[in-house]
Amino acid sequence: MTVELNHTIVSATDKHASARFLAEILNVPEPQPFGPFQVVQVGRTSLDYADAAHVTPQHYAFLVSEEEFDEIFDRIVGRGLDYWADPFHRQPGSINTNDGGRGLYWNDPDGHSLEIITRPYGSGV
């Protein structure tokens, strides 16, 4: 059997709002309830949002096609969200070209760092 990530739990101060935010930005199916979670399906992996009184920001990266990158980027800009070329937020309003692809970072409502990349790290120039 090949090992792959099936799901992860994402803490949120408002699981409905945070799950909807991610689903809308990535243009994936709307979140579905499952037990105490709001589940966002991203490919074969799900992000299961759970309400929490305290959120420790985490990092979630999504590998997307060039076309998906453009569409997601348009939604980020259209919402007036801040974005950066780097995880440390030192290059605001920029896109990186790591490994011959494109990437950027933005934050969700709870401060989780979200990233889209068109090439996996270490895969190119």
Side-chain angles (χ1 to χ4, degrees):
M1 176 171 115
T2 300
V3 176
E4 66 180 63
L5 181 64
N6 176 265
H7 69 276
T8 190
I9 296 173
V10 181
S11 297
T13 55
D14 181 339
K15 66 184 176 188
H16 296 281
S18 292
R20 198 168 39 254
F21 173 85
L22 181 66
E24 289 173 358
I25 293 288
L26 295 182
N27 194 34
V28 297
E30 70 180 63
Q32 297 297 310
F34 181 76
F37 306 106
Q38 283 294 304
V39 177
V40 177
Q41 193 68 40
V42 180
R44 293 170 50 142
T45 303
S46 69
L47 285 83
D48 302 356
Y49 282 82
D51 284 326
H54 174 75
V55 173
T56 300
Q58 299 292 315
H59 173 75
Y60 302 95
F62 304 94
L63 181 62
V64 300
S65 70
E66 290 289 340
E67 180 180 328
E68 289 166 325
F69 185 97
D70 291 335
E71 293 167 357
I72 294 166
F73 180 63
D74 287 346
R75 287 189 286 275
I76 290 168
V77 171
R79 286 181 176 223
L81 300 173
D82 292 329
Y83 63 92
W84 301 267
D86 67 303
F88 305 107
H89 299 179
R90 294 183 186 137
Q91 299 173 50
S94 298
I95 294 171
N96 71 56
T97 55
N98 298 338
D99 292 296
R102 294 183 292 164
L104 66 82
Y105 299 78
W106 76 101
N107 290 339
D108 87 342
D110 286 302
H112 292 297
S113 178
L114 306 175
E115 176 185 13
I116 52 173
I117 54 175
T118 60
R119 298 280 304 264
Y121 287 120
S123 67
V125 264

